[in-house]
Amino acid sequence: MTRALSTVALDAIGDGATPPAGRRRGEDGAELLGTERVAKPRRAAPADAVRPTRAEVNLAHLRHNLRAVQRALGDVDARAQERGPEVWGVLKADAYGHGAPAVARTLERAGMPGMCVALLEEGIELREAGIRAPILVMGGYYGPRDGLEAMLAHDLVPVVYGPQQIEGIAAIVRHHGGVPRTGLLPVSANDDGRVGVHVKIDTGMGRLGVMAEGLGAVLDAIARSPEVRLEGLMTHFACADADELDATRAQLARFDALTHVAQARGLVPRVRHAANSAALLRLPEARLDVVRPGIALFGVAPKGGLDVELRPVMRVRSEIVALRTLAPGESIGYGHTWTATRRSTIATVPMGYADGLSRKLSNVGSALVRGRRAPIAGAVSMDLTMLDVTDVSGAREGDEAVFLGPQDGPLGRDQIGAEEIAELTGTIPWEVLTSVSRRVPRFYREP
Ligand SMILES: *Cc1c(COP(=O)(O)O)cnc(C)c1O
């Protein structure tokens, strides 16, 4: 049934592979920005795919998850009336491995008003793919001055947490006699010629953001820089998916108190935001003006979250390329870690740890063949994995093997979730999704 659905290649939905005219590129295609080169993430193109191994990204499920999140926020038809919080999806790390340009384009068309990335180069990639929505660059590190310049030129929204960053932005605007522009985006009517920044406050994550005692200096820098406007105040929760939400409530209370510090100085942000997927689904008072879901958009429900129906977006599949029959006592794979205890049928599939299939799944994980689970037999190797298909009757060369996601087959229907793989490999679903390597081409499905 999967084959019956149309599978479109990345380029077919316009991945923006061709750079806009007039942009400068180095030999390897990296864009030249002043003297600095911003590297482009490289991924296997579907057109180059020889192996049957690929990741299928279901864009309808992505849209479904956006609507599920919006519905949970209670603002599906209410947009015209009282506005609920805005959803700014988090598309860092190549949209959690799903391919940021296609994901961003799909969500922008579905009406998502803004998005967040971690890195400057991730923001530039989305602008060059034609995304016009506001893009918040949350990592807060833009390298030397050239990075900040590229940031503003691409109309990306900087997250800042130090006075020097604000002074750097103001200096660039003064130097150019205005905000530098690439021309990729029209200057909006309400553009007041100032750079809107979001100030990140550390309320207990202990990672990035200005601490309470440093906030005054940041606010002072904004107050003395007419080139800069306080657009947003943000923070990030450390324990939003923990059993207890006390730590999250305490962070939120600190965030409120520090917001008042800014307001007392006459600096009122247009928006405040804090909630990741878990917080927005579990703690309504944390929703504020904007929510920043990542994992929920890709179909993984945070633990203890509201009962929202999310659908997995990525499906990783390959095919059986070889079959052999082993006699009892015969062993397979590196280190001979699996030995047949009966006459066994072993299938070889061209998917290995270099594709993101964790080696920890050796003799522990499984794949779906003909709608049934087939245990991984022996060590997962770099490019190949063996499956014990002795109990999968009729298994033959060319059969699909699914390592992540659902499969419908003659023997039944089953699915392997990112949560299950995370459990087996001692990690979290975020790492499972972002581990699918760039060697695996992404195919976009529009059922
Ligand atoms: C990754 C990230 C998010 C999204 O988190 P999810 O748990 O995937 O929803 C939100 N905000 C910040 C600052 C992040 O780094």
Side-chain angles (χ1 to χ4, degrees), residues 90 92 96 138 200 207 236 276-277 292-295 430:
V90 178
K92 60 192 176 189
Y96 291 40
M138 301 189 299
K200 183 160 188 174
R207 192 173 74 170
H236 190 44
N276 58 3
S277 301
R292 306 189 306 260
I295 198 80
W430 290 257

Side-chain angles (χ1 to χ4, degrees), residues 99-375:
V103 166
R105 210 172 285 122
T106 301
L107 294 175
E108 186 179 51
R109 281 185 197 146
M112 194 174 76
M115 50 196 82
C116 310
V117 293
L119 312 182
L120 167 62
E121 48 270 47
E122 292 172 343
I124 293 176
E125 185 187 23
L126 292 185
R127 277 287 176 257
E128 297 200 328
I131 299 301
R132 307 175 82 115
I135 300 172
L136 186 68
V137 180
M138 301 189 299
Y141 177 75
Y142 314 111
R145 193 185 142 120
D146 278 353
L148 260 184
E149 192 137 348
M151 179 87 196
L152 303 186
H154 289 87
D155 211 350
L156 304 171
V157 184
V159 167
V160 297
Y161 44 85
Q164 315 84 326
Q165 292 169 310
I166 292 152
E167 284 150 14
I169 291 168
I172 289 168
V173 176
R174 282 197 299 275
H175 175 78
H176 287 269
V179 183
R181 307 263 175 205
T182 54
L184 286 179
L185 284 175
V187 177
S188 66
N190 60 2
D191 190 313
D192 61 0
R194 293 189 291 167
V195 176
V197 299
H198 289 224
V199 170
K200 183 160 188 174
I201 303 180
D202 182 359
T203 55
M205 178 73 174
R207 192 173 74 170
L208 212 59
V210 58
M211 315 269 288
E213 56 272 26
L215 185 59
V218 170
L219 297 172
D220 285 345
I222 293 176
R224 359 171 244 277
S225 307
E227 300 84 1
V228 176
R229 170 167 43 84
L230 178 65
E231 173 78 5
L233 273 186
M234 68 182 285
T235 193
H236 190 44
F237 296 127
C239 304
D241 54 6
D243 290 340
E244 296 295 329
L245 286 171
D246 302 3
T248 308
R249 287 201 185 87
Q251 279 196 264
L252 191 58
R254 245 169 269 142
F255 190 48
D256 284 340
L258 293 170
T259 302
H260 290 132
V261 170
Q263 281 165 347
R265 291 170 184 240
L267 289 169
V268 180
R270 189 182 66 81
V271 291
R272 296 199 311 140
H273 48 105
N276 58 3
S277 301
L280 83 87
L281 291 172
R282 301 181 68 203
L283 194 64
E285 63 263 41
R287 290 172 183 168
L288 309 176
D289 306 308
V290 169
V291 294
R292 306 189 306 260
I295 198 80
L297 292 177
F298 301 107
V300 177
K303 265 186 275 166
L306 287 184
D307 196 18
V308 283
E309 196 244 324
L310 300 173
R311 298 182 184 161
V313 176
M314 198 195 297
R315 189 170 174 277
V316 179
R317 55 88 71 195
S318 185
E319 288 172 13
I320 294 175
V321 296
L323 277 172
R324 63 200 72 243
T325 305
L326 300 188
E330 289 190 286
S331 300
I332 57 169
Y334 285 118
H336 273 182
T337 62
W338 188 92
T339 302
T341 54
R342 54 176 175 167
R343 194 178 151 80
S344 304
T345 311
I346 296 297
T348 305
V349 181
M351 165 99 190
Y353 60 77
D355 299 301
L357 186 70
S358 172
R359 216 171 152 274
K360 291 183 186 148
L361 292 169
S362 303
N363 295 313
V364 169
S366 49
L368 306 175
V369 177
R370 299 174 81 75
R372 208 166 164 161
R373 271 165 198 259

